[in-house]
Every structure is written in C-alpha cells, then in structure tokens.
Amino acid sequence: MPRPALSLDRRIARLREIAEAEPRLEGVLLYGSWTQGEADEYSDIEAYLYVADEHAASFDGTEFVSRLAPLELAYTNLFGVLAVVFDDLMRGEFHVETSGSAIPEISSWKGVIHLPSPETAVLLDRTGRLTEAVRPLVEPVVPDPVPTAERLIGELANWTLMTGQVLARGEYTRAHAGLAIMVAPHQLKLARLLHGSTGHWLTPSRALETDLPDVVERYGRTTGDIAPEEVRRTVRESWTWSRGLSREAAARWGLSIPEELHERITGFLDRL
C-alpha cells in the first residue's frame, strides 16, 4: 500500500502559506499525483507559479521555491521547467509563468490533463481567473478507442522497424534504449485500451502492477540486458507482442492491419 504523503502535505501547506504572502503571484496551480489522490512519501511536488505580468522581470523562481525548504539542487531542465531537490530528497518541478498569457492557455490542456478537483489543485487565485480556467479539466482523459488504436498500431510498426534498423547497424545500446523509450509506452497504452484500464493513460506504466498484473509479466519478456544476442531476442519478442496487440485491437474495432508490412518487419528482425 502507498505510504502516507505527510511530508508532501506539509510542503504543500507551506507553499500555500508563502504564496499567499507573495504579492507578485496571481495564482498557484498544483498538478501530478497529489491532485489525483495517489501521492505517497516518494512523490514530488509539481506546480505552476503564475506571476502577475508587471512583476515578471523581478520574480526569482529559485529564490521563491527556496522558502519552502533548503535546496540541494536547482536548475532549469530540458523542458524549461525549474527542477529542484530539497534537503530531504523530495523532488519538485515548478513552471514559472506570466499570468496574463499563461492562464488563458490552460484551455488547451483539455483532453490531456486531468484535475479531478479544482478546489484541491488551485492553491492561490487572487482574481478567480485560474479556478475558472481549470474547471474544464475535471473530466478524465478517456481516449477514443478506434483512432487511438489505429495510431498505436502505426507507432508500434514504425518504432520497432527503427529499433531493428539501428540494431542491424550494430548499435545495441541504442536498440535497447529504443525498446524502453519508443516502443514500450505504445504497447502499454494499447494493452490498457484493450483491457479498459485507462485511468493511468498519460503514464501507462504507472501502477501497472496493480492495474494489470498479467501485462506486467508479458512486458517483462520484452526486456533484457545489453548483450547483443539478448537485445536481438528482446526486439523480436517485443514485436511478437506488438503484433498480437495489434491483431486483437483490429478484431475488436474493425481496423485494418498492414499485414504485408508486418510480415516484412518480422522477416527483417528474424534475419538479425
């Protein structure tokens, strides 16, 4: 069972306190596991900090976040987000945004982000604009099965072929990484779609052990170490699973599969 998120609860309470005392902030919006009711003691803190336009130039996000707790690490990650590690090893991600332009952009999150309770997610809202903007995100993300399955079938063929091609070139490490990064997420999404388990759609590996334990075992056969022969085995095993998922989806939703292409990919991988 997940362990209580008491330290995260305290940190969020502290964030609310310092945000209310910071007049340059118009709003603060939480996202992530805490807003989904799934946080535990290993969860991080994730938030958007909406700075009033006239104070954007003077607001120092790192300095503000350091008021929560001492920082061991603070840097801007590859997504342009302030990423931190606190002295208790809790991680954090903070988007520092200008409220005038950023709050209206929240409407584009519909169908991608799910915030079950705006009252829980919104820590600060001085104007009411933020709360109003996130209300449409109450509805959960539910993928449309037919176009989603069709897209995933295509993704699996495309990325498996790429993985096989870099493997043929002798790049075993890249092929090993490709299975985990480019192929597996699409497999897990298609498996979730077929099992009607889309509650963790945005991060399909999340809580898989609880949601779909049989899928965990099947996924495990597509993983292995970096030895060349083992990578060749796992690439073929992965494609076998992908073809099985694709056929099941096609039968259920009346989709067509490019069988000739799939056979050619199979032959290519077998020759490796």
Side-chain angles (χ1 to χ4, degrees):
M1 293 293 291
R3 304 184 187 189
L6 299 180
S7 58
L8 182 57
D9 291 344
R10 289 192 291 267
R11 191 134 302 159
I12 288 172
R14 173 63 178 159
L15 176 57
R16 187 193 302 273
E17 178 184 342
I18 66 173
E20 289 175 346
E22 174 50 78
R24 292 175 294 180
L25 285 177
E26 179 180 330
V28 174
L29 176 67
L30 295 175
Y31 65 99
S33 59
W34 196 82
T35 63
Q36 307 291 324
E38 296 182 343
D40 61 19
E41 66 172 308
Y42 305 113
S43 298
D44 58 358
I45 179 171
E46 302 163 297
Y48 280 81
L49 308 177
Y50 292 102
V51 184
D53 292 26
E54 63 271 23
H55 298 300
S58 66
F59 187 81
D60 184 336
T62 302
E63 186 282 324
F64 174 80
V65 172
S66 70
R67 302 179 207 171
L68 280 172
L71 299 178
E72 295 291 329
L73 176 67
Y75 72 101
T76 301
N77 68 17
L78 74 165
F79 302 110
V81 177
L82 173 61
V84 305
V85 176
F86 296 101
D87 61 342
D88 58 1
L89 298 186
M90 182 184 292
R91 296 173 297 106
E93 289 189 357
F94 297 87
H95 303 247
V96 181
E97 306 281 356
T98 303
S99 62
S101 58
I103 290 179
E105 290 177 358
I106 293 173
S107 61
S108 67
W109 299 359
K110 189 173 182 180
V112 180
I113 300 296
H114 176 215
L115 296 175
S117 169
E119 292 72 24
T120 299
V122 176
L123 286 191
L124 174 71
D125 185 7
R126 297 193 195 278
T127 65
R129 293 197 310 144
L130 182 56
T131 302
E132 193 62 30
V134 302
R135 289 202 185 280
L137 308 182
V138 170
E139 294 300 319
V141 177
V142 180
D144 187 347
V146 174
T148 302
E150 193 168 41
R151 178 181 62 79
L152 291 171
I153 289 170
E155 297 277 23
L156 290 172
N158 179 54
W159 293 117
T160 300
L161 179 57
M162 187 210 76
T163 301
Q165 288 170 337
V166 300
L167 179 59
R169 191 182 293 141
E171 294 182 86
Y172 301 107
T173 304
R174 187 178 174 194
H176 185 274
L179 285 180
I181 298 169
M182 304 308 301
V183 178
H186 300 304
Q187 289 173 322
L188 295 179
K189 281 195 169 183
L190 189 50
R192 282 190 175 277
L193 198 65
L194 287 163
H195 285 81
S197 178
T198 58
H200 293 108
W201 181 253
L202 300 177
T203 309
S205 60
R206 183 179 180 88
L208 196 67
E209 298 82 358
T210 302
D211 294 348
L212 299 171
D214 291 343
V215 171
V216 173
E217 188 278 331
R218 185 63 187 86
Y219 165 72
R221 301 206 298 273
T222 71
T223 62
D225 62 39
I226 200 65
E229 184 52 45
E230 182 68 359
V231 177
R232 285 193 287 267
R233 181 196 68 78
T234 55
V235 168
R236 291 194 299 270
E237 183 67 42
S238 173
W239 179 234
T240 297
W241 188 31
S242 292
R243 291 197 74 178
L245 291 169
S246 298
R247 286 168 173 160
E248 185 179 349
R252 180 173 304 182
W253 292 300
L255 304 174
S256 62
I257 293 179
E259 287 288 357
E260 183 179 348
L261 173 62
H262 282 199
E263 283 297 327
R264 293 181 67 187
I265 293 173
T266 300
F268 175 68
L269 297 179
D270 287 345
R271 289 193 296 274
L272 295 177

